[in-house]
Amino acid sequence: MQKQEIVDLIIKTIVQELDSASKAALESAHEATDEESRPENKYDTRALETSYVASAQAGYAKDLKAALQAYRNLSLPKEPHSGPAAIGSLVTTLGNAGREQFFIGPARGGLEIATEAGSITVLTPKSPLGQQLIGKSLGGSAGDRRILRVE
């Protein structure tokens, strides 16, 4: 699978997550300000709790928007890359968990993308494994993983 196809799948997934998160934030905000959410007594905190949820969901949506923009701005090299791992690299490793594929991206670490060739996990340079992989080349190691391929 080409790296641009992976980026396109990541963008598609983030757009879906953003849509869901935005809807959830709007619903929570509406619920928090709804007449039926008005406190019945001084101990009734439903509206306050719902406003906290709405605020958190809005923050998550904001983070997803930033991740979406980061992937839309990501410039992948036109020529095949075989140097050290960097943002935009697809890295295949072999370790205790077997063979794994990682895409080093600018955001949205932990996202798993299902492809015909298997699962690809998105890492960022901020993650511990991302930090171990950045700058490493074929044959290098990252923790208990040996690098089999860097594209």
Side-chain angles (χ1 to χ4, degrees):
M1 171 168 261
Q2 298 294 320
K3 287 194 283 185
Q4 187 58 54
E5 293 174 289
I6 294 168
V7 171
D8 292 343
L9 283 172
I10 293 169
I11 288 173
K12 180 181 175 184
T13 302
I14 293 173
V15 166
Q16 292 169 345
E17 290 176 338
L18 179 58
D19 184 50
S20 294
S22 297
K23 287 178 184 174
L26 288 173
E27 288 173 10
S28 293
H30 176 70
E31 187 177 325
T33 58
D34 189 61
E35 184 66 31
E36 290 185 20
S37 293
R38 177 167 265 155
E40 295 175 10
N41 58 51
K42 67 180 183 179
Y43 301 108
D44 186 356
T45 60
R46 283 179 295 182
L48 180 62
E49 292 166 2
T50 305
S51 71
Y52 289 154
V53 170
S55 177
Q57 288 172 327
Y60 178 58
K62 183 179 177 184
D63 290 346
L64 287 172
K65 284 181 185 178
L68 182 60
Q69 192 61 44
Y71 278 100
R72 286 184 172 155
N73 292 337
L74 182 62
S75 177
L76 296 173
K78 302 294 181 204
E79 300 297 318
H81 172 74
S82 61
I87 290 180
S89 293
L90 180 61
V91 181
T92 304
T93 65
L94 181 63
N96 294 337
R99 187 178 289 245
E100 296 175 287
Q101 283 193 304
F102 301 101
F103 180 79
I104 303 174
R108 198 54 188 94
L111 181 66
E112 287 198 24
I113 302 297
T115 69
E116 293 174 4
S119 179
I120 298 173
T121 303
V122 177
L123 297 176
T124 66
K126 293 179 182 177
S127 70
L129 182 54
Q131 289 175 1
Q132 291 176 349
L133 288 173
I134 293 287
K136 301 283 177 60
S137 298
L138 176 68
S141 63
D144 66 340
R145 295 173 173 89
R146 184 157 182 83
I147 299 173
L148 301 178
R149 173 183 274 166
V150 177
E151 300 177 47

Short mmCIF file of all heavy atoms in Angstrom, two decimals, residues 80-106:
data_model
loop_
_atom_site.label_atom_id
_atom_site.label_comp_id
_atom_site.label_asym_id
_atom_site.label_seq_id
_atom_site.Cartn_x
_atom_site.Cartn_y
_atom_site.Cartn_z
N PRO A 80 10.73 7.07 -3.48
CA PRO A 80 10.76 6.13 -2.35
C PRO A 80 11.83 6.53 -1.34
O PRO A 80 12.93 6.92 -1.72
CB PRO A 80 11.08 4.79 -3.01
CG PRO A 80 10.69 4.95 -4.43
CD PRO A 80 10.90 6.41 -4.75
N HIS A 81 11.50 6.42 -0.09
CA HIS A 81 12.40 6.83 0.99
C HIS A 81 12.96 5.57 1.66
O HIS A 81 12.21 4.70 2.05
CB HIS A 81 11.60 7.66 2.00
CG HIS A 81 12.35 7.98 3.25
ND1 HIS A 81 13.36 8.92 3.27
CD2 HIS A 81 12.25 7.51 4.51
CE1 HIS A 81 13.83 9.00 4.51
NE2 HIS A 81 13.17 8.15 5.27
N SER A 82 14.25 5.48 1.79
CA SER A 82 14.84 4.33 2.45
C SER A 82 15.82 4.75 3.54
O SER A 82 16.55 3.93 4.06
CB SER A 82 15.54 3.43 1.43
OG SER A 82 16.57 4.15 0.80
N GLY A 83 15.82 6.03 3.88
CA GLY A 83 16.72 6.54 4.91
C GLY A 83 16.16 6.31 6.29
O GLY A 83 15.29 5.47 6.51
N PRO A 84 16.63 7.08 7.25
CA PRO A 84 16.14 6.93 8.62
C PRO A 84 14.66 7.30 8.74
O PRO A 84 14.14 8.10 7.97
CB PRO A 84 17.02 7.88 9.42
CG PRO A 84 17.78 8.69 8.46
CD PRO A 84 17.66 8.08 7.12
N ALA A 85 13.99 6.70 9.71
CA ALA A 85 12.56 6.95 9.95
C ALA A 85 12.34 8.40 10.36
O ALA A 85 13.12 8.98 11.12
CB ALA A 85 12.06 6.02 11.04
N ALA A 86 11.28 8.98 9.82
CA ALA A 86 10.90 10.37 10.10
C ALA A 86 9.39 10.47 9.96
O ALA A 86 8.72 9.49 9.61
CB ALA A 86 11.60 11.31 9.12
N ILE A 87 8.84 11.64 10.20
CA ILE A 87 7.41 11.83 9.99
C ILE A 87 7.12 11.53 8.52
O ILE A 87 7.80 12.00 7.63
CB ILE A 87 6.98 13.26 10.37
CG1 ILE A 87 7.06 13.44 11.88
CG2 ILE A 87 5.56 13.55 9.88
CD1 ILE A 87 6.67 14.81 12.37
N GLY A 88 6.11 10.70 8.30
CA GLY A 88 5.76 10.28 6.96
C GLY A 88 6.33 8.92 6.59
O GLY A 88 6.06 8.40 5.51
N SER A 89 7.09 8.31 7.49
CA SER A 89 7.68 7.00 7.21
C SER A 89 6.73 5.87 7.60
O SER A 89 6.01 5.96 8.59
CB SER A 89 8.99 6.80 8.01
OG SER A 89 9.98 7.68 7.56
N LEU A 90 6.79 4.82 6.82
CA LEU A 90 6.11 3.57 7.14
C LEU A 90 7.20 2.61 7.58
O LEU A 90 8.13 2.32 6.82
CB LEU A 90 5.37 3.03 5.91
CG LEU A 90 4.60 1.73 6.09
CD1 LEU A 90 3.51 1.88 7.14
CD2 LEU A 90 4.01 1.29 4.76
N VAL A 91 7.10 2.15 8.83
CA VAL A 91 8.16 1.33 9.42
C VAL A 91 7.60 -0.05 9.76
O VAL A 91 6.56 -0.15 10.42
CB VAL A 91 8.74 2.00 10.69
CG1 VAL A 91 9.86 1.16 11.28
CG2 VAL A 91 9.21 3.41 10.40
N THR A 92 8.30 -1.08 9.33
CA THR A 92 7.93 -2.46 9.66
C THR A 92 8.95 -2.98 10.66
O THR A 92 10.16 -2.85 10.45
CB THR A 92 7.92 -3.35 8.41
OG1 THR A 92 7.05 -2.78 7.44
CG2 THR A 92 7.45 -4.76 8.74
N THR A 93 8.45 -3.55 11.76
CA THR A 93 9.34 -4.06 12.80
C THR A 93 9.01 -5.52 13.11
O THR A 93 7.93 -6.01 12.78
CB THR A 93 9.21 -3.25 14.11
OG1 THR A 93 7.89 -3.42 14.65
CG2 THR A 93 9.49 -1.78 13.89
N LEU A 94 9.94 -6.17 13.77
CA LEU A 94 9.74 -7.53 14.26
C LEU A 94 10.16 -7.55 15.71
O LEU A 94 11.28 -7.14 16.05
CB LEU A 94 10.56 -8.53 13.44
CG LEU A 94 10.42 -9.99 13.85
CD1 LEU A 94 8.98 -10.47 13.64
CD2 LEU A 94 11.39 -10.86 13.04
N GLY A 95 9.25 -7.98 16.57
CA GLY A 95 9.55 -8.01 18.00
C GLY A 95 8.78 -9.12 18.68
O GLY A 95 8.30 -10.06 18.03
N ASN A 96 8.62 -9.00 19.99
CA ASN A 96 7.92 -10.01 20.77
C ASN A 96 6.47 -10.19 20.30
O ASN A 96 5.92 -11.28 20.42
CB ASN A 96 7.93 -9.63 22.25
CG ASN A 96 9.32 -9.67 22.83
OD1 ASN A 96 10.21 -10.34 22.31
ND2 ASN A 96 9.52 -8.93 23.91
N ALA A 97 5.86 -9.14 19.79
CA ALA A 97 4.46 -9.20 19.32
C ALA A 97 4.39 -9.65 17.86
O ALA A 97 3.32 -9.66 17.28
CB ALA A 97 3.80 -7.84 19.49
N GLY A 98 5.52 -9.99 17.27
CA GLY A 98 5.54 -10.40 15.86
C GLY A 98 5.84 -9.21 14.97
O GLY A 98 6.38 -8.20 15.39
N ARG A 99 5.43 -9.34 13.71
CA ARG A 99 5.66 -8.29 12.72
C ARG A 99 4.59 -7.21 12.89
O ARG A 99 3.40 -7.52 12.96
CB ARG A 99 5.60 -8.88 11.32
CG ARG A 99 5.99 -7.94 10.23
CD ARG A 99 5.94 -8.64 8.90
NE ARG A 99 7.03 -9.59 8.78
CZ ARG A 99 8.01 -9.49 7.89
NH1 ARG A 99 8.02 -8.51 7.03
NH2 ARG A 99 8.98 -10.38 7.85
N GLU A 100 5.04 -5.96 12.94
CA GLU A 100 4.11 -4.83 13.10
C GLU A 100 4.48 -3.73 12.12
O GLU A 100 5.65 -3.56 11.78
CB GLU A 100 4.18 -4.26 14.52
CG GLU A 100 3.73 -5.22 15.60
CD GLU A 100 3.94 -4.63 16.98
OE1 GLU A 100 5.12 -4.55 17.40
OE2 GLU A 100 2.95 -4.24 17.61
N GLN A 101 3.46 -2.98 11.70
CA GLN A 101 3.70 -1.84 10.82
C GLN A 101 3.23 -0.58 11.52
O GLN A 101 2.16 -0.54 12.13
CB GLN A 101 2.94 -1.99 9.50
CG GLN A 101 3.58 -2.95 8.54
CD GLN A 101 2.98 -2.80 7.17
OE1 GLN A 101 1.78 -2.92 7.00
NE2 GLN A 101 3.82 -2.53 6.19
N PHE A 102 4.05 0.46 11.40
CA PHE A 102 3.76 1.75 12.02
C PHE A 102 3.91 2.85 10.98
O PHE A 102 4.86 2.83 10.18
CB PHE A 102 4.73 2.03 13.18
CG PHE A 102 4.68 0.99 14.26
CD1 PHE A 102 5.64 0.00 14.33
CD2 PHE A 102 3.66 1.00 15.21
CE1 PHE A 102 5.61 -0.96 15.32
CE2 PHE A 102 3.61 0.04 16.20
CZ PHE A 102 4.59 -0.94 16.26
N PHE A 103 2.99 3.80 11.00
CA PHE A 103 3.12 5.00 10.19
C PHE A 103 3.42 6.13 11.15
O PHE A 103 2.66 6.35 12.11
CB PHE A 103 1.83 5.29 9.41
CG PHE A 103 1.95 6.52 8.55
CD1 PHE A 103 2.60 6.46 7.34
CD2 PHE A 103 1.46 7.73 8.99
CE1 PHE A 103 2.74 7.60 6.55
CE2 PHE A 103 1.58 8.88 8.22
CZ PHE A 103 2.23 8.81 6.99
N ILE A 104 4.51 6.83 10.94
CA ILE A 104 4.86 7.94 11.82
C ILE A 104 4.22 9.20 11.25
O ILE A 104 4.56 9.65 10.16
CB ILE A 104 6.39 8.11 11.94
CG1 ILE A 104 7.02 6.80 12.45
CG2 ILE A 104 6.71 9.28 12.88
CD1 ILE A 104 8.53 6.80 12.49
N GLY A 105 3.25 9.70 11.99
CA GLY A 105 2.49 10.86 11.53
C GLY A 105 2.64 12.05 12.46
O GLY A 105 3.21 11.93 13.55
N PRO A 106 2.11 13.18 12.04
CA PRO A 106 2.23 14.39 12.86
C PRO A 106 1.24 14.46 14.02
O PRO A 106 1.42 15.26 14.93
CB PRO A 106 1.94 15.51 11.84
CG PRO A 106 1.05 14.88 10.83
CD PRO A 106 1.51 13.45 10.73
#
